[in-house]
C-alpha cells in the first residue's frame, strides 16, 4: 500500500452527557458554518463530525454521502469501525445532516492540497465554470469517490485517531505505557494485568485530548471488518416498503404539482388556455413559469389529469426543425473542418501515416442517453415563516439546500434538508441538473403549504440532462509486419472527463484532438461520464487494429500493455476465467475490452451468440476488476454487476433521438432496458493489487459495449460502429476466423 | 365511493372510479411502499396483489378492484401469516432478498418482491424461462442476477 501522509486537521469535541465527537476541523469556517451545537457542548469547535463515541459504548458514524444503492453507508462505516477496533454490533450509522459541518468537500479539499483536485471533479468544475471553493461546500456523491476520498482519508483516519486517543486515556488511567495496551471489540485491554475498559468509559477523557496529527493506520493483515462481506445496513428497509425516497415525502397539508415543460430545450411559455381545468375536482391553481406550466392539485393524479386538458403555447425557435441527423451532420462538419484542441500529441502521427505500409480508418458515433433512474425526478418544498424545508433525492444535499434557499429567497441557515434514499442517481441527481429543483421551489413560492412537484416518466425522459451524443473518427498506421505505428483520433466534445479518450497501449505516435460538439441539447454526467462513449470507441478500434494486423485481439492488447502490468493482470484473470482460447459452444464467441476509470482497472469478456431472431444474445460476462483492494467484497461484486447491466442496456437499446428540436422517446417501450430475460450471467473476479483504492460505482460500465460488439464482429463479420445494437441487422452472417 | 380491502383492512374512499389504484394507495392512503415508475404498466415498480395475483397498480382503476383483496409490500408478511397468532416480520421471499443482498437503490424492489411472491405462490419451482417470462420488472441498478439467485434459493428450499 502506498505510504502517504495522513496528517489531517482532526479535532475533537466533548459530547453533552459525556463522550467524544471526532472529525475534521473546518479550517476556515464559512459564514454559514456553525458550531456543532446539537451534539457538542457549548463553546466547542467547528467539528465536521465523522464519529461519535458515547458513554454507553455505542459508536455512531456520520456518513456525508447519499445512499443510492452503492452501499456507501455500510462501507464507509466499516472503514471507520475497523480502524477504531469497534464492535460492529455496537456501531450505529447515520446519514450526516445537510449542514455545512458535514460538507464532504472539506475532505477532498484537504487532499487537493497534496494531490491536486481529483480528476473526477475537474470535469465538473470546467463544465459548470464554478470555482473549486464553491464546490467544497457541497455534499457530493459522485465520481465513484466516497470510499476513495471520504473513506480512505476521512473515516479511516478518524477511526485510527480515536483508537490512539482511547488507548492513551486508558494507559494514563492505569499508569502504564500505550504500547502495553491493545484494543478489540470496543475495549482497551492491558493484557499484563488483565484489566480492560470499554471505549464508552474512556470517551469523556478522550474529548480532552488533541487528536494525533498522523494516526497510524492498520496494515491489511490487521483488518477485522474491512475485506469481509458485510450485509448492507440499508437493505432491510428496502424489502418491506419502509425505505423512504424523495417521492415518498408526505409533510402535512401537502399539495401536488404536475408540470409541462417547453418541449424544445431553451424555449419559453407564451400562453395558457386553462379551459375548465380549474373547476376539476381537487385542482387548486395553475402556475405559469418562464419555460413551463404546472397544475397544482390535492393529488398527483388529479394534477396530472388536469394538466392533460390544459392547452399551452410555447414560443417557436430556430431549433424547432433540428433532428438527430442535423446534429450528426454538424458533428461531421466539425470533424472535417476543425483542427480542434489537443488531448494528446506525441511523436509524429502525420509522418507515420505517410510512411505506413497500411492505414485503416473507422468512424464511430453514439447517441444521447437518458438516465432513467427508477424514481422519477421530484422535489417537495415548503416555504413558511421565512424558512424553507426541502425533501428530495439528491447526490448533493447541501448544494440543493443552498439552491432552494436562494430561489425561495430565504437565508441558507433557515433552510432544512430532509434526507431520503435515492431511487437511482447515475448522475441525474448531481448539481447543475436543476430543472426539477428550481421549478418545485418556484411553484412552492405560490403556496403556504408544502408542494411536491413530480415529473412523470415521460417528463423525465424528455427533460433530462443527457449523456452527450459523440462522433469519433480514427486512423491507424501499420508497418509492413502489421505493427501499429500511429493512432489518430478526432472526436466531438465537450470533454467532461479528462483522460477518458487516452489509450494505455504502447503506440509511439498519437494524435488525439477534440472538436466542437455543442448542441442545444442539455448534457450532464451519466454513469462513468465520458468513459462510456470513449471506451466503446477506443476498445472497438483497437480490436479493428488487431484483426487488420492478423493478430489475436487478446494477445495484441497484452503486447501493447507491457508498461501496464495492472491492465495485463485483469485481462489475464478475465481471459482465464472466461475460458478464452478454449472451445466454446457452437455459435458462441468471446469479445474483450479493458479500461481504467475512476482509479479502477476493469477487463470484461462477453460470451455472445446470435439468437434465432437474429438478435445478439449475451450469455455471460466475465469481469476482472483491480480496485486496489476491496472494503466490502459483496458490494464490489454488486456494483460490478450493476455497472455491466447499465452499460449493456445502453449498448443494446439506449437511444435518445431528437426530432423537431425535441426528444422523440417517451417511456420504457421506446427506451428499452435489459430485463431478467436479457440479463446475462455475470462472473466477477476482484484482483487485489494493494494499490490505492479505486472507485466502484462507475468503472464496470465502460467496457461492456465494446466487449459485446467485438464478439458480434467475430460472429457476423459486421463491425458495429454506431450504437445501439438494436438498430443493426444481423440476418446475414459471415463469421470471422479467429486468430 | 371506492371500497376494497388493503392488507386485510377495509378501505372506503371518496375518490373517482378511474383513479389508478397506485395513486389511491400512495396519495389517498399514504402507503408509499408501492412505487410509481412509469405509469404505463411497463416497469412493474407498482406491482401489488389483487386476490393473490400480481397486478400493476398504475394502470388499474380502483373501479376494477371494487370489493377485492389488495396486498401491498407493507402487508405482505402479515397477509402471508394469515390468522396465525405469530406474525413473522418477513416472508421467505423478503428474507431471501436480504440473504442474497438483492436490492441496490431498492426503488423497484417492492414490485420485484410482489411479482416474485405471486409467481412462487402459483409455481413454487419455476424454470429460468418461467422466471424470465413472469418477472418482467425493470431494475435500473441491474439486480437481476441476484433476483435469479434468490428465486432459485427459494425454489430449491
Amino acid at each position: 500500500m502506498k505510504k502517504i501522509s495522513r496528517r489531517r486537521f482532526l479535532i475533537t469535541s466533548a459530547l453533552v452527557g459525556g463522550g467524544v465527537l471526532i472529525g475534521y476541523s473546518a479550517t476556515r469556517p464559512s459564514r454559514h458554518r456553525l458550531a456543532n451545537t446539537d451534539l457538542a457542548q457549548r463553546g466547542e469547535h467547528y467539528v465536521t463530525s465523522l464519529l461519535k463515541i458515547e458513554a454507553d459504548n455505542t459508536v455512531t458514524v456520520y456518513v456525508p454521502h447519499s445512499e443510492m444503492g452503492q452501499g456507501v453507508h455500510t462501507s464507509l462505516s466499516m472503514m471507520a469501525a475497523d480502524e477504531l477496533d469497534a464492535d460492529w454490533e455496537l456501531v450505529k450509522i447515520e446519514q450526516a445532516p445537510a449542514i455545512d459541518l458535514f460538507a464532504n468537500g472539506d475532505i477532498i479539499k484537504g487532499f487537493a492540497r497534496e494531490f491536486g483536485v481529483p480528476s473526477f471533479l475537474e470535469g465538473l468544475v470546467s463544465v459548470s465554470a464554478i470555482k473549486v471553493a464553491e464546490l467544497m461546500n457541497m455534499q457530493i456523491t459522485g465520481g465513484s469517490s466516497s470510499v476513495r476520498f471520504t473513506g480512505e482519508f476521512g473515516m479511516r483516519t478518524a477511526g485510527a485517531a480515536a483508537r490512539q486517543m482511547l488507548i492513551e486515556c486508558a494507559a494514563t488511567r492505569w499508569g502504564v505505557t500505550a504500547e502495553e495496551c491493545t484494543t478489540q471489540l470496543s475495549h482497551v485491554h492491558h493484557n499484563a494485568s488483565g484489566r480492560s475498559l470499554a471505549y464508552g468509559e474512556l470517551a469523556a477523557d478522550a474529548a480532552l485530548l488533541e487528536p494525533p496529527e498522523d494516526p497510524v493506520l492498520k496494515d491489511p493483515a490487521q483488518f477485522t471488518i474491512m475485506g469481509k462481506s458485510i450485509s448492507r445496513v440499508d437493505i432491510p428497509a428496502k424489502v418491506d416498503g419502509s425505505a423512504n425516497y424523495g417521492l415518498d415525502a408526505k409533510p402535512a397539508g401537502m399539495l401536488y404539482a404536475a408540470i409541462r415543460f417547453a418541449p424544445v430545450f431553451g424555449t419559453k411559455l407564451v400562453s395558457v388556455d386553462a379551459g375548465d381545468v380549474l373547476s376539476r375536482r381537487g385542482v387548486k391553481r395553475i402556475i405559469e413559469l418562464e419555460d413551463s406550466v404546472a397544475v397544482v392539485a390535492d393529488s398527483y393524479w388529479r394534477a396530472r389529469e388536469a394538466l392533460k386538458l390544459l392547452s399551452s403555447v410555447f414560443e417557436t425557435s430556430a431549433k424547432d426543425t433540428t433532428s438527430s441527423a442535423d446534429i450528426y451532420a454538424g458533428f461531421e462538419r466539425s470533424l472535417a473542418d476543425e483542427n480542434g484542441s489537443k488531448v494528446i500529441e506525441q511523436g509524429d502521427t502525420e509522418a507515420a501515416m505517410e510512411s505506413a505500409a497500411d492505414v485503416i480508418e473507422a468512424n464511430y458515433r453514439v447517441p444521447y442517453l437518458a438516465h432513467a433512474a427508477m424514481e422519477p425526478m421530484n422535489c417537495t418544498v415548503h416555504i413558511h415563516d421565512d424558512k424553507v424545508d426541502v425533501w428530495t433525492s439528491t447526490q448533493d444535499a447541501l448544494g440543493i439546500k443552498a439552491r432552494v434557499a436562494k430561489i425561495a429567497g430565504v437565508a441558507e441557515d433557515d433552510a432544512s434538508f430532509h434526507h431520503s434514499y435515492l431511487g437511482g442517481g447515475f448522475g441525474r441527481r448531481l448539481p447543475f441538473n436543476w430543472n426539477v429543483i428550481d421549478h418545485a421551489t418556484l411553484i412552492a413560492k405560490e403556496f403556504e403549504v408544502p408542494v411536491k412537484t413530480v415529473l412523470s416518466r415521460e417528463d423525465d425522459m424528455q427533460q433530462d440532462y443527457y449523456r452527450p451524443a459523440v462522433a469519433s473518427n480514427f486512423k491507424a498506421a501499420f508497418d509492413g509486419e502489421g505493427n501499429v505505428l500511429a493512432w489518430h483520433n478526432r472526436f466531438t466534445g465537450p470533454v467532461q472527463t479528462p483522460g477518458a479518450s487516452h489509450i494505455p497501449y504502447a503506440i509511439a505516435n498519437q494524435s488525439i484532438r477534440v472538436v466542437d460538439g455543442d448542441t442545444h441539447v442539455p448534457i450532464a454526467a451519466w454513469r462513468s461520464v465520458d468513459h462510456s462513449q470513449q471506451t466503446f470507441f477506443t476498445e472497438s478500434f483497437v480490436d479493428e487494429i488487431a484483426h487488420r494486423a492478423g493478430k489475436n485481439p487478446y494477445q495484441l492488447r497484452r503486447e501493447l500493455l507491457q508498461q501496464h502490468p495492472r491492465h495485463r493482470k485483469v485481462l489475464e484473470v478475465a481471459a482465464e476465467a472466461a475460458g478464452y482460447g478454449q472451445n466454446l459452444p457452437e455459435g458462441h464467441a468471446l469479445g474483450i475490452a479493458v479500461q481504467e476509470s475512476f482509479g479502477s482497472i476493469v477487463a470484461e469478456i462477453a460470451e455472445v451468440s446470435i439468437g434465432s431472431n437474429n438478435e445478439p444474445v449475451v450469455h455471460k460476462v466475465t469481469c476482472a476488476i483491480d480496485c486496489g483492494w476491496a472494503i466490502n467484497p459483496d458490494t464490489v461484486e454488486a456494483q460490478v454487476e450493476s455497472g455491466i447491466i447499465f452499460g449493456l442496456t445502453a449498448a443494446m437499446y439506449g437511444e435518445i433521438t431528437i426530432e423537431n428540436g425535441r426528444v422523440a422517446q417517451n417511456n420504457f417501450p421506446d427506451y428499452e432496458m435489459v430485463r431478467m430475460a436479457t440479463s446475462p450471467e455475470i462472473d466477477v473476479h476482484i484482483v487485489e493489487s494493494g494499490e490505492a483504492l479505486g472507485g466502484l460505482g462507475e468503472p464496470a460500465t465502460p467496457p461492456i459495449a465494446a466487449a459485446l460488439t467485438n464478439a458480434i464482429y467475430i460472429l457476423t463479420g459486421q463491425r458495429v460502429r454506431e450504437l445501439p445494437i438494436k438498430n443493426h441487422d444481423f440476418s446475414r452472417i459471415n463469421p470471422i476466423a479467429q486468430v | 365511493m371506492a371500497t376494497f380491502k388493503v392488507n386485510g383492512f377495509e378501505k372506503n374512499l371518496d375518490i373517482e372510479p378511474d383513479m389508478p389504484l397506485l395513486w389511491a394507495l400512495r396519495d389517498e392512503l399514504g402507503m408509499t411502499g408501492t412505487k410509481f415508475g412509469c405509469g404505463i404498466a411497463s416497469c412493474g415498480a407498482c406491482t401489488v396483489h389483487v386476490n393473490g395475483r400480481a397486478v400493476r397498480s398504475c394502470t388499474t382503476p380502483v373501479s376494477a378492484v371494487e370489493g377485492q383483496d389488495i396486498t401491498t409490500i407493507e402487508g405482505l408478511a402479515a397477509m402471508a401469516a394469515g390468522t396465525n397468532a405469530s406474525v413473522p416480520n418477513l416472508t421467505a421471499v423478503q428474507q431471501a432478498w436480504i440473504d442474497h443482498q438483492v436490492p441496490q437503490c431498492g426503488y423497484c424492489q417492492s414490485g420485484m418482491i410482489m411479482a416474485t411472491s405471486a409467481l412462487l405462490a402459483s409455481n413454487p419451482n419455476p424454470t429460468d424461462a418461467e422466471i424470465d417470462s413472469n418477472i418482467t420488472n425493470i431494475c435500473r441498478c441491474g439486480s437481476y442476477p441476484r433476483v435469479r439467485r434468490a428465486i432459485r434459493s427459494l425454489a430449491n428450499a
Side-chain angles (χ1 to χ4, degrees):
Chain A
M1 210 160 291
K2 273 182 189 161
K3 278 283 165 229
I4 45 176
S5 168
R6 290 170 187 281
R7 185 185 160 122
R8 293 287 108 234
F9 301 95
L10 280 179
I11 63 168
T12 55
S13 184
L15 279 178
V16 177
V20 61
L21 198 64
I22 299 154
Y24 279 74
S25 64
T27 47
R28 211 177 302 159
S30 76
R31 64 198 152 84
H32 301 299
R33 205 179 290 277
L34 302 167
N36 209 336
T37 48
D38 287 347
L39 294 167
Q41 283 175 356
R42 275 179 70 85
E44 289 300 344
H45 306 294
Y46 306 107
V47 184
T48 299
S49 317
L50 296 172
L51 279 178
K52 180 174 74 172
I53 304 170
E54 287 173 282
D56 67 359
N57 214 21
T58 57
V59 172
T60 304
V61 182
Y62 294 94
V63 179
H65 287 281
S66 308
E67 180 60 78
M68 47 191 176
Q70 80 281 40
V72 70
H73 282 185
T74 309
S75 43
L76 287 191
S77 301
M78 287 170 69
M79 298 173 90
D82 197 334
E83 291 293 349
L84 180 59
D85 262 341
D87 181 346
W88 184 248
E89 300 299 318
L90 301 177
V91 174
K92 290 195 296 187
I93 298 167
E94 284 194 21
Q95 175 77 55
I99 53 176
D100 278 6
L101 284 165
F102 292 92
N104 54 36
D106 273 341
I107 293 156
I108 294 165
K109 184 161 58 181
F111 269 80
R113 284 194 203 99
E114 289 175 39
F115 300 110
V117 178
S119 65
F120 81 93
L121 289 173
E122 283 175 20
L124 199 55
V125 172
S126 63
V127 162
S128 62
I130 63 155
K131 296 187 189 75
V132 174
E134 289 174 30
L135 190 67
M136 294 315 169
N137 272 335
M138 295 181 168
Q139 206 173 45
I140 213 163
T141 304
S144 301
S145 65
S146 306
V147 162
R148 289 192 288 158
F149 290 93
T150 308
E152 183 66 356
F153 302 124
M155 292 296 177
R156 288 189 71 189
T157 310
R163 178 177 163 274
Q164 257 172 264
M165 287 153 58
L166 293 162
I167 287 177
E168 197 180 326
C169 295
T172 303
R173 218 183 274 187
W174 291 328
V176 302
T177 65
E179 287 70 32
E180 293 173 67
C181 299
T182 59
T183 52
Q184 195 181 19
L185 295 173
S186 293
H187 285 76
V188 183
H189 300 283
H190 184 247
N191 291 331
S193 64
R195 284 175 289 186
S196 63
L197 283 165
Y199 286 173
E201 298 174 81
L202 297 162
D205 290 359
L208 306 174
L209 297 181
E210 285 290 315
E213 282 196 341
D214 205 356
V216 180
L217 301 195
K218 288 181 175 182
D219 282 330
Q222 298 170 296
F223 293 166
T224 56
I225 298 171
M226 288 187 278
K228 291 200 169 82
S229 286
I230 287 184
S231 292
R232 274 178 27 220
V233 295
D234 56 314
I235 284 186
K238 292 176 175 177
V239 305
D240 65 6
S242 63
N244 260 307
Y245 299 84
L247 195 63
D248 301 331
K250 39 192 167 190
M254 181 173 66
L255 295 174
Y256 301 79
I259 188 163
R260 177 185 299 157
F261 290 91
V264 178
F265 303 113
T267 58
K268 293 182 167 56
L269 179 69
V270 173
S271 64
V272 171
D273 179 359
D276 60 356
V277 161
L278 279 169
S279 66
R280 288 177 64 88
R281 178 173 173 185
V283 172
K284 304 293 180 191
R285 281 182 64 184
I286 294 164
I287 308 291
E288 296 184 25
L289 300 174
E290 194 179 18
D291 64 351
S292 53
V293 56
V295 174
V296 179
D298 63 358
S299 98
Y300 178 63
W301 178 76
R302 289 186 185 117
R304 173 66 44 196
E305 291 298 299
L307 184 65
K308 286 179 191 167
L309 299 173
L310 176 149
S311 42
S312 52
V313 177
F314 291 91
E315 67 178 2
T316 56
S317 134
K319 300 297 176 191
D320 285 359
T321 56
T322 301
S323 68
S324 283
D326 299 323
I327 288 170
Y328 283 135
F331 288 174
E332 279 168 31
R333 278 195 301 277
S334 295
L335 287 165
D337 301 345
E338 287 181 32
N339 190 33
S341 325
K342 175 184 132 179
V343 178
I344 299 267
E345 287 289 0
Q346 124 188 351
D348 190 339
T349 304
E350 211 168 306
M353 291 287 169
E354 278 169 20
S355 67
D358 186 21
V359 172
I360 59 169
E361 288 186 41
N363 297 341
Y364 286 81
R365 70 185 188 200
V366 294
Y368 293 103
L369 292 180
H371 295 85
M374 288 311 295
E375 180 193 358
M377 299 305 292
N378 64 87
C379 182
T380 305
V381 179
H382 185 200
I383 301 166
H384 57 99
D385 311 318
D386 295 325
K387 291 181 167 47
V388 61
D389 283 82
V390 56
W391 295 256
T392 192
S393 308
T394 175
Q395 292 174 248
D396 177 20
L398 203 45
I400 292 295
K401 188 180 85 162
R403 179 83 180 182
V404 170
K406 189 176 167 192
I407 296 171
V410 167
E412 238 178 273
D413 288 346
D414 293 322
S416 301
F417 182 88
H418 301 266
H419 266 285
S420 61
Y421 289 122
L422 280 66
F426 317 121
R428 176 63 179 95
R429 294 186 154 101
L430 279 171
F432 317 114
N433 307 340
W434 301 120
N435 65 0
V436 190
I437 307 298
D438 290 3
H439 294 79
T441 311
L442 291 168
I443 293 166
K445 277 179 103 164
E446 306 293 323
F447 295 86
E448 286 172 1
V449 294
V451 182
K452 180 191 287 181
T453 300
V454 180
L455 266 58
S456 67
R457 175 59 57 193
E458 291 83 359
D459 299 332
D460 191 21
M461 198 157 285
Q462 302 199 326
Q463 299 292 333
D464 198 349
Y465 299 75
Y466 301 86
R467 184 191 81 165
V470 181
S472 187
N473 294 352
F474 291 90
K475 280 192 273 189
F478 300 87
D479 68 13
E481 273 82 55
N483 298 308
V484 56
L485 301 172
W487 174 278
H488 182 277
N489 178 206
R490 298 287 180 274
F491 63 90
T492 56
V495 172
Q496 294 190 92
T497 325
S501 60
H502 298 192
I503 50 168
Y505 301 110
I507 298 174
N509 304 293
Q510 296 184 22
S511 173
I512 306 173
R513 301 181 78 87
V514 57
V515 303
D516 176 36
D518 280 351
T519 72
H520 78 297
V521 181
I523 59 162
W526 183 98
R527 195 175 192 170
S528 81
V529 207
D530 293 352
H531 288 279
S532 77
Q533 303 104 320
Q534 297 293 344
T535 306
F536 169 63
F537 302 147
T538 58
E539 282 298 284
S540 294
F541 193 60
V542 164
D543 229 61
E544 295 206 47
I545 287 172
H547 286 284
R548 180 68 166 218
K551 292 180 177 169
N552 174 285
Y554 166 65
Q555 293 301 347
L556 177 96
R557 284 181 173 84
R558 285 188 69 247
E559 284 166 24
L560 295 178
L561 288 169
Q562 301 278 3
Q563 305 304 315
H564 293 275
R566 295 176 72 192
H567 287 69
R568 278 176 64 122
K569 179 74 175 173
V570 292
L571 268 178
E572 289 164 2
V573 169
E576 189 181 348
Y580 194 88
Q582 295 167 24
N583 286 337
L584 290 170
E586 182 68 27
H588 287 214
L590 299 180
I592 196 163
V594 62
Q595 176 76 350
E596 176 175 2
S597 65
F598 307 96
S600 290
I601 304 162
V602 180
E604 287 169 14
I605 298 184
E607 182 176 339
V608 185
S609 69
I610 302 298
S612 53
N613 55 359
N614 294 323
E615 282 177 17
V617 177
V618 185
H619 300 274
K620 183 177 176 183
V621 178
T622 306
C623 174
I625 177 166
D626 175 357
C627 53
W629 49 287
I631 307 297
N632 192 349
D634 188 61
T635 301
V636 173
E637 288 185 24
Q639 283 304 294
V640 169
E641 291 160 7
S642 174
I644 288 171
I645 290 168
F646 203 86
L648 190 57
T649 283
M652 290 291 292
Y653 312 111
E655 181 178 39
I656 289 291
T657 54
I658 305 299
E659 288 172 20
N660 299 322
R662 63 204 75 188
V663 168
Q665 288 70 24
N666 264 305
N667 206 319
F668 291 125
D670 41 357
Y671 194 73
E672 187 51 284
M673 303 271 133
V674 167
R675 303 185 190 224
M676 287 295 287
T678 43
S679 178
E681 179 189 346
I682 296 176
D683 181 26
V684 182
H685 297 261
I686 301 170
V687 176
E688 295 211 328
S689 62
E691 295 292 333
L693 283 168
L696 284 162
E698 296 167 279
T701 297
I704 187 61
L708 171 53
T709 55
N710 290 343
I712 290 173
Y713 177 69
I714 294 166
L715 290 167
T716 67
Q718 277 178 250
R719 176 58 66 181
V720 175
R721 297 195 183 97
E722 290 177 24
L723 296 178
I725 291 163
K726 73 173 169 89
N727 293 347
H728 295 262
D729 176 9
F730 301 109
S731 56
R732 277 172 298 175
I733 288 178
N734 294 301
I736 299 299
Q738 264 277 45
V739 180
Chain B
M1 188 66 85
T3 304
F4 46 84
K5 277 189 178 174
V6 181
N7 301 329
F9 296 95
E10 185 154 310
K11 305 288 179 186
N12 295 294
L13 294 172
D14 173 22
I15 54 176
E16 300 86 326
D18 55 341
M19 180 183 283
L21 177 58
L22 170 68
W23 298 111
L25 291 169
R26 287 186 59 88
D27 290 355
E28 304 295 321
L29 296 171
M31 300 176 70
T32 51
T34 304
K35 301 302 186 197
F36 167 50
C38 69
I40 57 167
S42 174
C43 77
C46 65
T47 305
V48 299
H49 295 173
V50 177
N51 302 329
R53 269 186 45 248
V55 166
R56 294 188 173 174
S57 65
C58 72
T59 52
T60 304
V62 290
S63 59
V65 297
E66 184 68 23
Q68 316 279 302
D69 273 312
I70 316 294
T71 304
T72 69
I73 187 74
E74 293 96 336
L76 188 62
M79 294 300 283
T83 52
N84 288 352
S86 63
V87 177
N89 290 325
L90 299 172
T91 64
V93 173
Q94 289 169 313
Q95 187 59 50
W97 249 239
I98 294 175
D99 295 344
H100 293 271
Q101 297 281 290
V102 174
Q104 291 194 22
C105 89
Y107 191 80
C108 74
Q109 297 296 342
S110 295
M112 279 284 186
I113 289 168
M114 297 308 285
T116 299
S117 301
L119 169 65
L120 292 177
S122 65
N123 180 359
N125 201 0
T127 63
D128 270 335
E130 287 168 339
I131 294 171
D132 290 346
S133 61
N134 279 278
I135 312 297
T136 57
N137 302 40
I138 294 175
C139 171
R140 192 67 169 124
C141 301
S143 63
Y144 306 118
R146 286 163 188 255
V147 168
R148 192 180 303 280
R149 243 179 279 162
I151 294 175
R152 280 190 185 142
S153 77
L154 292 160
N156 294 334

